[in-house]
Amino acid sequence: MNSTALIHHRYAPPVGFNAPQVSTYKASTVIFESVSAMRERNWQSKDGYTYGLHGTPTTFTLEAKLATLEGGEHCLLTPSGLASIACVNLALLCSGDEVLIPSNCYGPNLAMAQNELSRYGITHQLYDAMNPEDLSVKLSSRTKLVWLEAAGSVTMEFPDLIALIRVCQEYGVTTALDNTWGAGLAFNAFDLNVDITIHALTKYPSGSANLLMGSVVTKDDALFHQIRRCHMHFGWGVGANDVEAVLVGLHTIVLRYAAQDQAARGLACYLQKQDAIAQVLHPALDGAIGHVAWKKICGNKAAGIFSVVFKPQFTQAQIDCFCESLKLFKLGYSWAGPMSLVVPYKLETMRAEWPAGVARGCLVRFCIGLEDVTDLQQDLAQSLQTLGVNVL
Ligand SMILES: Cc1ncc(COP(=O)(O)O)c(C=O)c1O
């Protein structure tokens, strides 16, 4: 037996294998039947295979499912949620253009504009997502892209997406929504006329905090091809095992999203009653910033993530100690995984101005996992006691 017989083995498995989970195809090389087939194959078309980077049955399946999840038509996979933001920026923006970003955006979106897009002569401005008029006055003939995010990062304000998108449409400017919070489940972004969504699949679609991946979804064919060309030229590939894991995650995303939402709301209400807390930031709570827009757009759905602001009498050291005293909530970034997480943020270092409507004090963000909610509440109670306050 020589190596050739092993590499070019004549056995071919019977066709027709079928199972609930699509098989995990792994390839850089794709084999062609003939030179003409090789020459005719167009990497931009999804009716065949050209090279691993351009797609396999596994990546095409995930892309199709994600397009359905988000209410779009086309989907591209990228190595992370942040890479999806980069992909949209680089596909749509040229030197001399401007991008507008909400002031409560996911921080690295802004950092990309400040540190990277600026090197290509692309400028940016922040706008107040809670004030469509502010967006309107910042739009100019140089604005080629407006980022949207709902709810806002860390402070959880829910913007009136309908009004913001209407302003952009009046100016003919492309909109891209970071749809990670809504996950395609809280609302349908394309029904609101958004042009592009990006989604950190790292969060709910994975659901296990075990991988990084992102997607870009569009409905418009021309926009999709523009983004796809850029995606291909930069060589953004994803690993087949990670694609497989996201496909597994999608089977349960609806159940997990609802369960984490319910648990988070229960804990948010519990914290709202505590003496130590000045404000709970969760768009589903009555009186929350953007609550009316949230209700109109999301009905009654929300992600399992919220923040609290402690009363100003507590020092940062005390709040850091509160976070460290939690036993089930682990200190860690990201969200939508099985384990509950906590992060003490220094809001004053993240925003140019303290956000309107947010109480002054130390801010802590909670991401609710899949633990028993009674255990999580007990954990919060025992840690609040370390602050020397009355705990209900
Ligand atoms: C709203 C939002 N968008 C994008 C990202 C980026 O995702 P990734 O960690 O996959 O780059 C994150 C990550 O925390 C996020 O919270």
Side-chain angles (χ1 to χ4, degrees):
M1 214 270 328
N2 70 14
S3 61
T4 308
L6 274 184
I7 291 166
H8 293 268
H9 200 282
R10 61 188 166 77
Y11 176 77
V15 292
F17 180 81
N18 206 355
Q21 170 79 8
V22 68
S23 301
T24 303
Y25 290 91
K26 295 183 165 185
S28 52
T29 299
V30 168
I31 312 281
F32 296 87
E33 277 180 4
S34 66
V35 172
S36 64
M38 204 168 200
R39 294 212 172 110
E40 278 163 20
R41 192 90 281 283
N42 172 9
W43 66 265
Q44 294 196 62
S45 154
K46 279 191 171 178
D47 59 11
Y49 308 99
T50 315
Y51 185 58
L53 199 54
H54 307 154
T56 65
T58 320
T59 60
F60 283 175
T61 303
L62 180 57
E63 286 169 354
K65 289 195 177 202
L66 290 168
T68 300
L69 174 72
E70 301 212 23
E73 286 292 331
H74 310 287
C75 173
L76 290 163
L77 302 174
T78 70
S80 68
L82 189 53
S84 292
I85 295 173
C87 178
V88 172
N89 280 333
L90 293 174
L92 268 59
L93 299 170
C94 299
S95 176
D97 291 347
E98 182 157 278
V99 55
L100 298 186
I101 302 170
S103 53
N104 57 357
C105 72
Y106 170 60
N109 185 337
L110 174 59
M112 187 185 300
Q114 288 170 328
N115 298 290
E116 303 304 328
L117 299 184
S118 59
R119 298 191 299 116
Y120 299 94
I122 299 161
T123 59
H124 70 276
Q125 280 194 76
L126 292 176
Y127 71 92
D128 177 1
M130 303 310 290
N131 180 4
E133 180 58 25
D134 186 53
L135 173 62
S136 177
V137 297
K138 286 181 175 153
L139 282 163
S140 75
S141 56
R142 291 206 300 113
T143 316
K144 293 292 158 14
L145 176 64
V146 172
W147 278 102
L148 305 162
E149 199 169 323
S153 186
V154 179
T155 38
M156 305 291 157
E157 306 93 341
F158 203 95
D160 184 348
L161 287 174
I162 298 165
L164 294 174
I165 292 164
R166 196 182 305 126
V167 169
C168 295
Q169 284 188 322
E170 277 164 19
Y171 285 79
V173 176
T174 304
T175 50
L177 169 75
D178 185 329
N179 204 18
T180 307
W181 182 94
L185 298 172
F187 61 96
N188 182 325
F190 292 94
D191 281 352
L192 304 181
N193 290 327
V194 78
D195 295 307
I196 302 164
T197 60
I198 74 97
H199 191 163
L201 308 180
T202 311
K203 318 296 183 204
Y204 280 106
S206 144
S208 289
N210 59 350
L211 60 88
L212 289 148
M213 200 182 296
S215 62
V216 181
V217 170
T218 55
K219 216 166 181 176
D220 180 87
D221 294 351
L223 197 51
F224 172 68
H225 289 301
Q226 184 177 352
I227 299 171
R228 184 157 212 248
R229 274 192 300 276
C230 176
H231 177 271
M232 148 59 184
H233 293 143
F234 280 103
W236 285 311
V238 291
N241 286 351
D242 287 346
V243 174
E244 176 191 28
V246 177
L247 281 163
V248 172
L250 285 186
H251 293 148
T252 55
I253 187 170
V254 176
L255 301 175
R256 288 183 285 104
Y257 194 87
Q260 287 170 317
D261 177 10
Q262 197 188 349
R265 278 197 233 184
L267 294 170
C269 290
Y270 170 74
L271 286 170
Q272 221 173 14
K273 290 187 238 138
Q274 301 304 321
D275 275 358
I277 306 294
Q279 190 179 14
V280 178
L281 304 172
H282 187 311
L285 297 182
D286 272 340
I289 314 163
H291 175 70
V292 173
W294 168 78
K295 210 167 179 51
K296 185 170 170 198
I297 293 169
C298 301
N300 191 26
K301 291 182 179 172
I305 182 169
F306 65 91
S307 298
V308 301
V309 183
F310 281 84
K311 288 194 174 148
Q313 74 216 51
F314 298 106
T315 64
Q316 188 66 59
Q318 282 177 296
I319 299 310
D320 291 353
C321 181
F322 161 82
C323 293
E324 287 175 351
S325 303
L326 289 163
K327 294 186 168 56
L328 295 175
F329 286 87
K330 301 297 177 192
L331 287 162
Y333 295 107
S334 206
W335 40 293
M339 202 176 267
S340 292
L341 301 173
V342 61
V343 184
Y345 280 104
K346 291 187 176 177
L347 203 52
E348 62 279 13
T349 66
M350 298 160 66
R351 306 277 171 87
E353 289 165 20
W354 195 267
V358 176
R360 294 271 175 176
C362 296
L363 184 147
V364 171
R365 188 185 74 176
F366 296 98
C367 309
I368 308 308
L370 292 167
E371 301 93 335
D372 188 306
V373 74
T374 320
D375 294 335
L376 293 176
Q377 186 171 312
Q378 272 169 14
D379 194 23
L380 291 170
Q382 67 76 23
S383 198
L384 282 170
Q385 267 151 11
T386 65
L387 294 172
V389 284
N390 192 26
V391 178
L392 295 173

